[in-house]
Structures are given as C-alpha cells and as structure tokens.
Amino acid sequence: MTASVTTVRAACPHDCPDTCAIRVTVQDGRAVKVQGDPDHPPTHGALCTKVSRYPERTYDAGRVLHPLRRSGPKGSGRFERVSWDEALSDIALRLQTIAARDPQAILPYSYAGTMGLLQGESMDRRFFHKLGASLLDRTICASAGGEALAATYGGKIGMHLEHYAESRLIVIWGSNSIASNLHFWTFAQAAKRAGAKLVCIDPRKTETADKCHQHIALMPGTDGALALGLMHELIVNDWLDHDYIERHTEGWPALRERALQWPPERTAEVCGITADEVRGLARDYGTTQPAAIRLNYGMQRVRGGGNAVRLIAILPCLIGAWRHRAGGLLLSSSGWFPVDRAALQRPELLAGRTPRTINMSTIGDDLLRDSSPDFGPKIEALIVYNSNPVAVAPESPKVVKGFCRDDLFTVVLEQFMTDTADHADYVLPATTQLEHLDVHLSYGHSYAMFNEPAIAPLGEAKPNTQVFRELAQRMGYDEPCFADSDEAMARVAFSQDVPFDVLRRDGWVKLPLPEAPLAEGQFRTPSGKCVIDSPQFGVPDHVPNHESAASSPQLAQAYPLAMISPPARNFLNSSFVNVQSLRDIEGEPVLEMHDADAAERGIADGQTVRVFNDRGEYVCKAVVSRRARRGVVNGLGIWWRKLGLEGTNVNEVTHQRLTDIGRAPAFYDCLVDVRRAAQPGS
C-alpha cells in the first residue's frame, strides 16, 4: 500500500523575531519532518536547532493528552484523568461562584508561548472581557523597549530584515543573534562577506560576539550611558546630518546639551569600558554609510531599559542613517502589521466595566496580597495558558508560595507538565502548532504568516480557542462571537493589506511598505517626526540600575557581582527545556564566571556553586569562562525548576522592581554573590 505523503504550510509560533515559514511533511497522518520554506525570504529554507526538532517535541511521551485533576498537594505533580465534560463543568461552576462575589478576583495569565493571533489573543480575550475578570498587563519580556520605541517613533517599527545584507556597519546591540535571531545573522554574515564591519555590544562574550570584528563588553544597565557618549562624539566631530535632524526630529536641542555632558572618559567609567572604545565606535558610526543597528530586548531588562532604548533609537536620526534602506534600526517590526485586535478580542464585551489591571511581572507579590481598597479583591482564581510563570516570573520563591495557596483555584492549559502545571487544580491538554490553525505577525520581519494545521490533535488535546468557546458555553454566554470559528477569526485578523486568500494559499504575504520606510521621516508620531523630548517621558537620560555599585553601594558590598540571565542557546524562554535531545546539548544549569572572580572565591571550573542574595539562592555548576566579563556572572536560563540541581532556577534571586518605562521586570539588574556549595557529608 502506497504511503500518503503531503506537505503543509506552517509558521513557527515561538517568541522569536524570526517567525519562520515552515513546510511540514505528513506521512499517513503523522508529521515526520519540518523544514524551513526556501521561498520565504527571511527564512530562506533554514530552521534553528530547536524548531527543526518540532516533531520530537510534538510526539514526546510527556505530552499532556487528557484533562487532569489534581489528586495530591499542590506542586506534587499528582493528578488523575477526568473527562472534558467533568473538567469544564467544574471549572465553569467554580468561576461562576467567584464571579458572583467579584469577577476581578479571577485573573488570566498568558504571554507568548504561542505568538499566534488566534491561539494567543482572540477567543480567550472575549471570554475574560465578558466575564469582567482582571486585565493582565503583559510586560514580562518586551514592554520597556516596546513602549520606549513607540514613544520615540510612534510605533514598533524599523528596517526591513533583508536590507542588513547591504549595510556597511552593523551594530548588534544586546542580542546573541546566532542563538536568538538566526535569520538576521545570515544577512549580517552576507554583509560581513561583502566588507561590512560588525560590532557586538553585550556584557557577555556571546557566540555572536565571537564572530564580530569587535566586542564591547559594557556593564549591565549602562547602554543608555554609552548611547549618550556616542552622541557626544557625533556632536563634537560634527558627524551629524543636520538636515535630517531639522526636518524629521523634535526636541534635539535639549538632548544635545545633555549629551555634551558625556565625554568618552565619563562614559567609559560608567560603562566599564575604555574611552578609546567609545571614540572608535562613534567614529565608525558617524563616518560609515549605510550604518544599521540591530537592537534586541536583552538590554532593556534593567531599571533604565526604556530610556536606553529611546537614546539608541535616536542615534540613526542623528546621522541620517534612515535615508538608506540598509541604514537605521530594528528592535521590532510588529507595529507595521495592520492587525484588527478589536475584531479579535471584542472589548465591547466589557460593557462599560473597567476591571483593574494586574502586572504579570509582579505576580509573586500579587498572589500574596489580601483584599484591600487599593488592590481590590484577593486573587482567587488563575487561568494560565501560553506561559509558565512558576519558572519564568521574577523572584520565584514568592511566585511558588502564591501558587501553593490552598485557596487559589488554578487552571493551566498546557502541552507538558511544566512547573506551573504541577501547581494546578486542573490541567487541560493544549494542541501544538502542528495541530491547530493560526495567523501570525512578526517582530523581526515584515511578512504576515499563516499556519495550517498539519495533523489532527493528539489524544484529547484542544486548541485554546476551542477551550474558551466551550467554557463560554458552560458559563451561559450566548453572544454570536463565541461561536466564531478559527477560520472566521483569521479572516478578520488583518486589514485588506493582507488578503486572506493569498495569505492562506502561499503561507505568507509581504507588507506593502517602502524600501526605506523612514527616509523622509513619516514616523508614526502625531507630528510625523522622531520625538526626542516626549510629552510623557521628557528628554531621555541614563538611568542607573536598581542594584549596582553606583546606585546601591551598601548592597554591592554584600553582593558584589552583577548577574544577567540570558537564554541558553538551545532553549527559548522555558520552552524546549523538556526536549531530551536539546537538554542533552545544554547539559545542566550553569553560571559563567570570569576566572578572576572565580579565583577570588576559590571556585574551580565544574564545581557546584550557590548563587545567592537576600531573596534566595540557586544551586548550579560553575563554568569559568572567557564569556563572562570581570564583575558579571551569567546565569543561563530558563531551566524548569524541577530540572534544576535542587529544584530551583535562576529566578530564585531576581526581583520584582520594574523598569523606568513599560512597567517591565528588571531581570538583568540583579546583584548576587557566589560561593562553593557544601558537599554532601561535609
């Protein structure tokens, strides 16, 4: 009998700027291979190591395939199988009981476990709007940089990805592109082969830094100071495009005066680099055209991350880099996409109510709060999907304590038994990207994407959209929008600039944008200009970290090492940690240390160490490595807690204080110390 083989067009759903186009090979109803679409210009046929193993992840023996109800203590991982009808009926009854007191005591908690517009932010939002639940401020990854960019440019907009191949200077700022933005890296490599200079700015000597001509290893949280120092040199050497500044920016005189207070020597002292590095980078940037910056979100995970993004985003305007299609900056392209979120999310279902908003980044504190006039009702129910907060939210000792509350009703929609699922009352089996329909924008290129389901849902798994449809039905919600199919919602997700039939046929549609979109200004601000002196945020400045030797010297005496926690190369946030082949590559949780910092503490490579501060401690293996600069340790994440050496991960020591703009967590703004762990029997 001849095997039935088909190829299905799909899109990568994960929180990555590349949003790859995928071709899935299906044989007799089983996905046997995924590969990059060679016809999609950003993907050009290649996938990262993680996603190339998607069939392994989809068919993993650890998939949740049936509804589960907790049968042991929270966190024990003990569950019993129940039917969908039993689970949804009980969940609806519990939610109705709580909502009768105050629906704001119910909180949805989701982020970018899928970036899909349907499975991530459509029927779920309709359900919670109708319910009147608390709103969630989704800040945990990118809101500092996103709101800062929007305040400066009027939206999250930037260069076309492909045009980096034509740049003559590329500054890769706060990005380990080889690990987290692979398809940008291929265009950067093309530019390098054509003679471009590549400069990496990152506290860690990443795999990307290894391949660049220059690495500037500044201290965490000093990116804004470096941007001001570069501006100083652009001004005093007159490497400015005065015409572009005059016609396409507003507020430059005030920032000019501020930048003149940042000579290379001051900048170098704050950043922990040399004055010559400041002068040299400014010279390269001010005298090379076209010059492009690839900014990424790592550098905005500090107290001053928003101001730093604003300062860096202004740099291309000062030298007129936007005049060239291979010049400018890209942090996010998502603002280019004509998404109709009102059609997807139906905010009118709130019916005039204005529920409170809970910040997802302070969930550790908020789950432990009692009812009060300021806070509102105590959180009594939590519905978690597309996220793993027990592993990824900051200051995890408090997060775990909150999730362990006996009086908290928790429902988790998941593909695997994550740390968060272990603490649920009900776990509902969710489909993977190969099993459901979705549409996607991208924050790293300018192509809308379509995901066709390649295989039938495994076991009893259901798409998020279907789970919330069925919950709405059991709650008695009879508005017609709750009956909308996934295809019906996909048809209204984008405006007519993205024709649905073409999108579905080809798998992707390129947005109709100019080649050099900001060459003549046309920023998305009210004035059409780059806003330097913002009505909301004023003139940008360097904002020191919450925790540093300069801002908190007493704390730095107790905990003298700055810690950042960038992603391990083969994980994506906490996704893929459970894929055995990828975990085998990573080995175990590690902390990279500079040899001098390790020697001062009597720590040798490979020893088990305690990373600690007054919030908690984390046990892992030390790697004495040239990747760590003096005074900074790199705690690679994000491992699931239960896969850590002692059931914890790096977020044991991070805090819940927020950024200057965007109310985001300051993960990389963290002081610790490190000691050898006590050996068994010692």
Side-chain angles (χ1 to χ4, degrees), residues 285-343:
Y285 190 67
T287 62
T288 307
Q289 292 286 5
I293 298 172
R294 182 56 172 105
L295 190 60
N296 214 339
Y297 286 108
M299 50 71 60
Q300 50 95 72
R301 295 188 180 119
V302 293
R303 178 189 177 196
N307 267 272
V309 167
R310 291 187 65 208
L311 288 164
I312 297 165
I314 290 163
L315 287 170
C317 301
L318 302 185
I319 65 168
W322 288 113
R323 296 184 188 275
H324 309 271
R325 74 176 196 169
L329 173 144
L330 179 61
L331 171 62
S332 174
S333 58
S334 63
W336 291 127
F337 288 83
V339 179
D340 190 345
R341 284 190 164 83

Side-chain angles (χ1 to χ4, degrees), residues 417-465:
M417 290 303 297
T418 63
D419 292 329
T420 304
D422 285 343
H423 291 78
D425 293 287
Y426 281 96
V427 180
L428 304 179
T431 47
T432 69
Q433 188 78 341
L434 301 187
E435 302 159 71
H436 56 232
L437 184 146
D438 219 328
V439 290
H440 290 256
L441 52 73
S442 171
Y443 64 93
H445 60 67
S446 49
Y447 294 76
M449 311 290 291
F450 195 89
N451 184 78
E452 199 78 63
I455 59 174
L458 300 189
E460 294 183 277
K462 294 185 180 186
N464 291 344
T465 47

Side-chain angles (χ1 to χ4, degrees), residues 215-280:
H215 173 220
I216 298 177
L218 77 180
M219 287 294 291
T222 63
D223 304 84
L226 179 55
L228 285 164
L230 297 178
M231 290 180 189
H232 178 281
E233 292 300 282
L234 296 178
I235 294 165
V236 300
N237 291 285
D238 199 24
W239 293 324
L240 299 172
D241 186 329
H242 296 282
D243 176 67
Y244 196 94
I245 293 170
E246 175 66 26
R247 292 198 295 127
H248 303 311
T249 72
E250 56 184 32
W252 168 239
L255 181 56
R256 182 182 186 279
E257 292 307 307
R258 177 162 289 166
L260 286 172
Q261 301 169 21
W262 284 86
E265 291 74 20
R266 180 189 180 191
T267 302
E269 182 179 2
V270 170
C271 296
I273 58 178
T274 68
D276 283 345
E277 285 177 300
V278 180
R279 293 189 186 96

